[in-house]
Structures are given as C-alpha cells and as structure tokens.
Amino acid sequence: IPDNYYGKAKITALTLSGVDPQSSQGLHAYLVKEGRFLRSSDGTSAVIATTLAETLGLKLGDKLTLPTSDGEVDLKIVGILPARAVPGNEEIFVTLVEAQKLLDLSNRISSIEINLDTMDDAQRESIRSQIENVLGRDFTLDALSGGSEIIASIKVGQVAFNLIGFLSIFMGGFIIFNTFRTIVAERRHDIGMLRAIGANRRTIITMILVEGLIQGVVGTFLGLVFGYLMGLGLTAMMSPLMAQYIHVELGAPVVSPGLVVVTILSGIGMTLIAGVLPAINASHVTPLEALRPSMNPVQNSGLSKSVLTGLGMIVLAAVVLFSANSGLIALGALLLLVGMVLAAPALVRPIASVFNKLVEITFARDGTAELAQNNLSRNPSRAAITASATMIGIAVIVGIGGMIWSMTGGFMGILQRSLGSDYLVMPPAVGLWKDNVGAKQDLADRLRSVPGVAVVSTLRYSGASVNGQSISMLGIDPVAYPKVASLTFAQGDAKTAFNEISNDRAIIANGVFSSQTGLKLGDSFQLSTPTGSKTYRVAAIANDFLNAKIMTAYISQGNLQSDFRKNEDIFFQINLLPGVEASQVEPRFKKIMEDYSQFKLVSGKSYFEENKQMFDSVIAVYFVILIVLAVPSLIALLNTLTIGVIERTREIGMLRAIGAIRKQISQIVLAEALLLAAVGTAFGLLAGLYLGYVMVLGLAASGYPIFYVFPYQGLLMAIATGLIFGVLAALLPARQAARMDIIQALRYE
C-alpha cells in the first residue's frame, strides 16, 4: 500500500485472499460477527477483520478502496470477522474469481489447502507421499515461505556485524589484560603485605579473579543495557529508510535468550581469561620483593620463538593474498592479525625509532623524545600489547571503511547505469516485487502516447525456483530496455545476451543467482514454472541496482507470459526526446498516474539523489559504530601510560630533582603516547587494508557487484584517530607525572 493511501491510518501492506466461498468454509471456521461470509455470486464484495475495520473506520456496507492492476476498485464490506489473532498483514477476503480479476491473474491459483479423511498416521503419510509424487519438484507440500529472496542480503549483514563483534572482543581482551596489569602494579605493595601475613599464591589469584568476576558481571550488565539502547537507536534511524524503500516497518530490537546467554558468557568469560595471567604473575612475587620493589629491567626484544612464529604468519598471509581464493585470504586475515600481535615486541623498537625522528622535531628543544623511546624499549611486551589493541581499533576503521567505500563506489555506478532514465514509475516496495500490485498494459500505452516521450520500458515479475531456491524472474523488453538502462555485465555482452533472451529460453542471471546456484555462462538448467519444468540457458551474468542483492534472472516478457502467465507491469522507465523539458510532460504523466495510485512518478535525477542520501545515512551509522569500537584503544593507551608512570615514580622524581620542569615531564609522557599510537596505527593500517580487501573479495564471491577501492579517506581518518587518541590518552598520566611531589617520588622504591 502506498504511503498515506488511507490518510492517517498507518497501513503499509494488506493481503488480498481470493477463496472459493463454498469449499473454503469446509476447511476454516469463519466466525462472522456482522453480516455474512462470501457467496460464489459475489462480485466486488469483501469480508474483513474487526481490527482493519476499526483502523480504517469502516462498517458493514461501506466501501473499501484498493489499488489494482486496472486502477482503483471499491469493495463493499459484506461481513466483518473477529479481530486478527495472529501476526501478519490484515487480510481482505474476496471470491477467487474476483481476486483473479483484480490482480490480472486469470485462471491462476497460488495455493491449495487440503483436509484428509483419516486420522491414522500411516494412512496420512501414505496420502502425503502420493501427493508429493503427483506434484513433483515444481511445487512444495506443507510449507509456507515468504521473503526468501532477501535472506541472502540479511545473511551478509549478519556476517558483517558478527565480524565487527569478533574484532571488538579480540580488542577487548587486550584492554582487560592491560587493565589487570595496571591494577596489579598499583597494588603491588598491598599484595606484598598480604603475602607477608600468610596469604598463599592461591589466595592472591582467587582475590584478583573474584574482583575481575565482579567487574565482568557489572560490565556485562551495562553492556546489555547500552547494547539494547544502541539497537533502539539503530532501528529508529533505519526504520524511515525501510518504510520508504521496501515498506517494512521495524519494531523494537528482538533480543533472544540465546543472544543474552552468549553475551553474558563472552563478557564474563573474557574478563576472567584476561585476568588469569596477571593474577598468576602477581602470585609469583615474593613478599620481600613486593614490599621492596626494584626497577624493572629492560626486556629483551629479540627474535624469540613467538616472534618468529608471528613473522612466519605475516609472510604466509602475504603469500595467500595472491591465491585469489576467498577462503584462504580470509584465513590469511586472521593469520595477519595474530602474527602482528606475536611479532609486535620485536617490531616495537625499530618502528618507534622511525617515528621518534618525527617526535624529536616536535620536542627538539626539550630533548624528551629520546627518553620516551627508551621507556617503550624498556618493556616492549607491554608496549606491544597496547599497540595491538590500537591496531585492532585502527584495522576495524580502515577495513570497514574500505568495504564501505568499495560498496558505495560500485553500487552508485550501477545505479547511474541501470536507473539513469529521465523518469521512473515505481511501486511501493522496490525490490520485493511480489508484494506489489502492477498494472495492465494500458498504463504503458498511455505513457507512450504523451508527446515528447521517446521510449517506455516496463518490468514484469514472477516468482520461480531452481533446485528448491526461490528466485525473482524479471521480464524485460529486450528491444526497449537497453534504450533506457544498461546492466553491468560480468560475463557475456549486452548485444548477444539481449538477442538470446529474445529468441530463445535464456536468462541473464545476476551475480547472487550465479553464486548461489553455481550456474555459469552457457549452463543449462531446469526452471520450475506454473506451466511445468522448462529448460533455460544462462546467456550472461550481469547486475542492476535494484536487484543486486537478490537472486534474480532477467528473461523476455514473451517467455514470462508463455511460461509464467504474467503480463502485468510493475516498474516503468521513461526517456524523453532530445530537447523536451520536464514541464512539457510532467503534468500529463501526473494526470495519467491519478488512476494508478499504487505507483509514484519520480525523476531519475531525484531518485539518484535519494539513494545517495540513503548511502550517506548508512555510512554515518557505520562510522558511529566504528567510533564506539575505536574508543577502547584509547583506554588501552591510558592504562599503559598510567602503569608506566607508576613504575617510573622514582625515576620521575630524580628527573625533577636535577632540574626537569613539569612541562618536560608531561612531554615525556606525551611523546611516549604518540610513539605508542604511531606503532599501533602503523600495524592497524596494514591489517585494515588486508581486512578490507578480504571483506570486498567475500562480497564479490557471493555475487555482489563490488570491486575494491583503495580507502584513501579511511587511511587519513585512521591516522588522525590514532594520533588524536594518543594525545588524549596522555592527558591524565602526563598531569599525574608532572604534579608528582619530588620528595615522595625519591622515597618511592
């Protein structure tokens, strides 16, 4: 139903059910509250539910207006049923003959309901088997399905968000681990006191893990609450777009029990796992060592076994990048992330040395950059962990940014080519063609008769199945269609493909169709149609904008009529003659469209701008998510800098005692933060480029018309984010170090 068709009543879709009044009452009990049920002799009569009558303010004898393939029709309400008790669209019952007339589906039926005359299970199963044998593969017994054409698109979205979730948990593990290290360092003296008065190692481990458990429970609860609020925000942002383009209204987020359980286990489990190693390390400290801590020695950052393993993983990830196998490259992305984490301790010092030259320029007069680099080199393992957390955050920004820019560039180009006509006549739900009411050929003829019109091309729809998979069959005029639009061909060429579908049983398959069925150029296959199974051949593989994410095949309108018995037009593209202005034709178009309220007239230019705004909105949502995911890397930097200040308390006191001013102490911490951020950003850029390429390759392998676009803007944004986060993370530790009392710092051991 078009927007505002019933005024303030928010009805986006209705189900028109044509039934045989006599036989249907033998299967269903229609408890009519007012009036009567349908009779075989009824024409434009209808029975509706109380809920629909109340929504539209209708009573017995009133007229209900509906858009049909032959213009609007008024149905007289002859009966009102009880309120609808099951979810779904409100249902309007008319006679089978009347429904066939209203929808231009003469002699067509879409479903058959059967009652058996026995309750014996064996006999019922025998009858069922006989029915299945009669039906063959062209029909489905005892199953109702709808919307399967968008399942693939939904699954791609789920995979993308699951990947983001995996990366955030991966990054969260580093942050929690670093947090526990900070806690242990701050309470080192307290742990020594406990050990001195008799606490054993098990007690220390239990104490830290119980504290982690409490924090994990609180954090997980807050995460559930804020996650649900974020879901509300996202659905509120996406709901207008969904309602505008496919007439689907989004309700509140649905949180399943399984999702809650997985979230709780992930949150609490990650907290406990991340706290195990710091707890064990704390328990190994002797009482005397904890009460009189010594300065930490500089750790060796040489080529250990873990570093060599990490370097090997990085090399292997680089090798599989050239394999062109999406599965291997996806595995390579995981190898690259893990390899960088393992190899990071050995890479911290050389990378920090490179960036130190830039930092030295910034703090040239104060000579603090060299001290900052030495502080990082003193504990490269800790620096590597922090850099790894930053790496994940930056990698997410660059990777998803690369995917978004690639998708935007690919889809906007296809949009320009496939919907670049002067005018479009569109149904309410674009893409979900089966829910639309089309028009007879009269509408196209009337549009062609308008002076100044060069060509009118129409689109027709029918559902079909290949090997049990539902697909959208779109009927096009092979002569008129290329004059108003062009498909983006991946295999085959336009001239040959349009000629073949015009003269033979051939199709132009889109990328998703080819990917999910495994059919390639030149392959023949059996297509289930209302007139039986037919053999079709793939003439080409190509995409357009509206159907890029749905399993779709384009055939000639002649074949759609002969094999699928469908000839109603559901989408129109119009090109004007050269020199004709919009003001000359639009009034005539609008006058014609008054009789077909299920359609709306839009200019090709305005539709392009609408979709561009939609892409911009989606990109904005993604960037909000990216910012949320990047913030934890700020926490990781803050933790590392804080623990560094605590461990170097006496050193800072000595620097202050020999004349270092507070500004210089602050600059040491700031320089260290910038070096850490630079190391993490360098890792993140490499990992993000690889990750983005993997995402694009995966979408392309699934049949999406997408090619990799190097994310220059994403790189600049990631670099700026990394450096800004470095400065922000340094503010609190730098202030803490600069304000440290000299006497107390010198007395700290």
Side-chain angles (χ1 to χ4, degrees):
I1 300 299
D3 291 331
N4 304 317
Y5 187 77
Y6 292 115
K8 294 182 179 180
K10 293 185 177 181
I11 295 180
T12 60
L14 293 169
T15 298
L16 183 69
S17 296
V19 298
D20 178 357
Q22 184 174 357
S23 61
S24 64
Q25 293 184 79
L27 285 95
H28 300 281
Y30 298 103
L31 304 176
V32 180
K33 291 181 58 178
E34 298 181 53
R36 60 175 177 81
F37 195 67
L38 297 169
R39 298 170 182 164
S40 300
S41 58
D42 282 334
T44 55
S45 301
V47 174
I48 63 175
T50 301
T51 44
L52 179 59
E54 292 176 349
T55 301
L56 298 180
L58 299 174
K59 59 182 183 297
L60 208 62
D62 287 349
K63 301 289 186 179
L64 170 63
T65 303
L66 281 181
T68 74
S69 60
D70 201 21
E72 289 187 341
V73 66
D74 291 329
L75 300 176
K76 181 181 178 181
I77 307 301
V78 298
I80 298 179
L81 302 173
R84 184 175 176 82
V86 295
N89 300 331
E90 289 285 356
E91 199 166 11
I92 302 171
F93 293 97
V94 297
T95 64
L96 177 61
V97 174
E98 186 65 20
Q100 292 170 337
K101 175 184 175 183
L102 296 177
L103 300 177
D104 194 22
L105 295 171
S106 178
N107 299 319
R108 290 287 302 279
I109 56 176
S110 55
S111 65
I112 301 173
E113 294 181 305
I114 302 171
N115 269 354
L116 305 184
D117 60 0
T118 176
M119 296 301 295
D120 182 76
D121 290 340
Q123 293 183 23
R124 292 173 68 87
E125 188 58 36
S126 174
I127 297 172
R128 177 189 176 90
S129 298
Q130 294 179 57
I131 294 174
E132 288 180 333
N133 291 334
V134 171
L135 293 177
R137 295 190 306 170
D138 296 338
F139 298 91
T140 303
L141 177 65
D142 194 27
L144 297 176
S145 62
S148 58
E149 65 274 11
I150 63 172
I151 293 298
S153 178
I154 293 174
K155 286 182 177 179
V156 170
Q158 288 177 329
V159 170
F161 278 102
N162 286 340
L163 178 60
I164 294 173
F166 168 76
L167 291 174
S168 15
I169 291 176
F170 193 62
M171 178 171 58
F174 287 108
I175 296 166
I176 297 168
F177 174 73
N178 234 12
T179 302
F180 275 107
R181 285 173 61 98
T182 306
I183 292 172
V184 171
E186 288 178 340
R187 295 163 55 187
R188 189 180 183 87
H189 186 78
D190 296 340
I191 294 173
M193 291 288 292
L194 290 173
R195 294 282 282 126
I197 62 175
N200 56 27
R201 291 177 176 177
R202 183 176 180 181
T203 302
I204 301 299
I205 293 175
T206 303
M207 177 187 70
I208 295 176
L209 291 183
V210 168
E211 184 175 341
L213 177 63
I214 296 172
Q215 293 179 350
V217 170
V218 174
T220 301
F221 173 76
L222 293 176
L224 287 168
V225 173
F226 285 115
Y228 184 78
L229 293 177
M230 288 179 65
L232 284 174
L234 288 172
T235 51
M237 292 176 65
M238 296 302 297
S239 186
L241 295 174
M242 299 290 282
Q244 179 181 356
Y245 291 100
I246 61 174
H247 270 247
V248 172
E249 288 198 357
L250 297 179
V254 177
V255 181
S256 65
L259 178 61
V260 174
V261 171
V262 170
T263 303
I264 292 173
L265 292 177
S266 300
I268 298 177
M270 179 59 71
T271 307
L272 293 175
I273 292 172
V276 169
L277 187 58
I280 294 175
N281 289 338
S283 70
H284 285 166
V285 177
T286 63
L288 184 60
E289 183 185 0
L291 291 173
R292 295 181 57 84
S294 59
M295 298 299 293
N296 287 336
V298 177
Q299 292 183 357
N300 180 24
S301 57
L303 296 179
S304 63
K305 290 183 179 179
S306 61
V307 170
L308 290 174
T309 302
L311 292 174
M313 288 182 173
I314 294 173
V315 172
L316 186 58
V319 171
V320 301
L321 191 61
F322 299 98
S323 68
N325 184 301
S326 58
L328 285 177
I329 295 177
L331 177 61
L334 180 60
L335 290 175
L336 183 68
L337 289 174
V338 177
M340 283 188 167
V341 171
L342 294 176
L347 299 176
V348 166
R349 182 174 294 174
I351 295 178
S353 299
V354 173
F355 286 108
N356 189 54
K357 303 301 180 183
L358 299 176
V359 177
E360 283 180 348
I361 297 174
T362 306
F363 303 112
R365 293 183 180 180
D366 298 295
T368 53
E370 191 66 29
L371 287 174
Q373 182 190 350
N374 291 336
N375 289 335
L376 286 187
S377 301
R378 179 181 301 172
N379 198 328
S381 296
R382 185 176 65 214
I385 290 172
T386 304
S388 299
T390 306
M391 175 191 74
I392 300 298
I394 298 299
V396 169
I397 294 176
V398 176
I400 297 185
M403 181 187 70
I404 292 173
W405 268 286
S406 299
M407 290 184 65
T408 301
F411 277 96
M412 295 308 289
I414 292 175
L415 170 62
Q416 188 68 49
R417 288 189 292 272
S418 62
L419 297 174
S421 52
D422 294 327
Y423 283 95
L424 307 170
V425 177
M426 309 178 69
V430 177
L432 304 182
W433 304 111
K434 72 182 183 63
D435 293 331
N436 295 309
V437 176
K440 293 182 178 179
Q441 192 172 340
D442 296 350
L443 175 55
D445 292 339
R446 292 174 66 182
L447 293 172
R448 292 188 183 99
S449 67
V450 175
V453 171
V455 60
V456 176
S457 176
T458 66
L459 195 70
R460 299 173 183 175
Y461 166 83
S462 179
S465 65
V466 176
N467 299 328
Q469 299 185 74
S470 298
I471 60 173
S472 292
M473 302 297 299
L474 297 181
I476 58 177
D477 183 341
V479 176
Y481 183 80
K483 297 178 181 179
V484 298
S486 66
L487 298 172
T488 302
F489 283 82
Q491 297 181 31
D493 64 274
K495 183 177 180 180
T496 302
F498 286 124
N499 183 62
E500 289 187 10
I501 67 171
S502 178
N503 300 315
D504 197 2
R505 277 199 173 95
I507 68 164
I508 300 175
N510 75 343
V512 178
F513 179 101
S514 175
S515 173
Q516 297 195 16
T517 61
L519 295 171
K520 305 299 181 184
L521 180 65
D523 289 350
S524 296
F525 63 97
Q526 293 300 117
L527 184 64
S528 298
T529 78
T531 57
S533 184
K534 307 293 183 182
T535 301
Y536 274 79
R537 181 172 46 82
V538 179
I541 297 175
N543 290 284
D544 75 345
F545 177 76
L546 296 178
N547 307 284
K549 298 181 290 183
I550 301 171
M551 286 184 62
T552 304
Y554 311 88
I555 67 174
S556 69
Q557 292 180 349
N559 284 335
L560 195 74
Q561 165 64 26
S562 61
D563 292 343
F564 294 88
R565 307 281 177 81
K566 294 295 289 289
N567 56 11
E568 62 170 357
D569 298 319
I570 56 171
F571 185 76
F572 303 76
Q573 290 180 264
I574 306 170
N575 267 356
L576 305 180
L577 292 170
V580 176
E581 299 293 333
S583 58
Q584 299 175 247
V585 295
E586 278 195 15
R588 295 284 300 272
F589 286 157
K590 291 178 180 178
K591 182 65 177 176
I592 294 172
M593 300 310 301
E594 289 177 358
D595 297 330
Y596 299 89
S597 55
Q598 68 267 40
F599 294 103
K600 65 177 180 179
L601 176 73
V602 298
S603 70
K605 183 178 180 180
S606 64
Y607 188 69
F608 180 85
E609 291 300 323
E610 282 183 11
N611 279 273
K612 187 175 183 300
Q613 291 178 8
M614 181 182 68
F615 272 96
D616 291 342
S617 300
V618 173
I619 289 173
V621 170
Y622 269 109
F623 280 134
V624 170
I625 297 173
L626 294 182
I627 291 172
V628 172
L629 291 177
V631 166
S633 63
L634 174 64
I635 301 172
L637 278 172
L638 178 63
N639 283 345
T640 297
L641 295 173
T642 301
I643 192 175
V645 169
I646 294 171
E647 290 181 343
R648 301 199 306 273
T649 298
R650 193 175 181 206
E651 178 185 328
I652 293 171
M654 291 184 67
L655 289 172
R656 293 281 283 122
I658 62 176
I661 61 176
R662 290 183 174 181
K663 181 181 177 182
Q664 289 175 313
I665 300 300
S666 297
Q667 287 178 351
I668 292 174
V669 179
L670 177 59
E672 185 176 345
L674 287 174
L675 287 175
L676 272 173
V679 172
T681 301
F683 289 168
L685 293 179
L686 293 175
L689 290 173
Y690 197 115
L691 195 62
Y693 183 74
V694 169
M695 292 178 178
V696 172
L697 193 66
L699 289 173
S702 299
Y704 282 68
I706 183 173
F707 54 89
Y708 185 71
V709 176
F710 194 81
Y712 295 101
Q713 293 174 308
L715 292 182
L716 294 176
M717 182 182 300
I719 293 171
T721 301
L723 297 180
I724 290 172
F725 276 13
V727 174
L728 293 176
L731 294 179
L732 187 60
R735 183 174 181 272
Q736 177 186 353
R739 294 172 64 90
M740 194 175 291
D741 184 85
I742 298 176
I743 303 300
Q744 291 183 359
L746 289 173
R747 294 176 61 186
Y748 182 83
E749 296 183 356

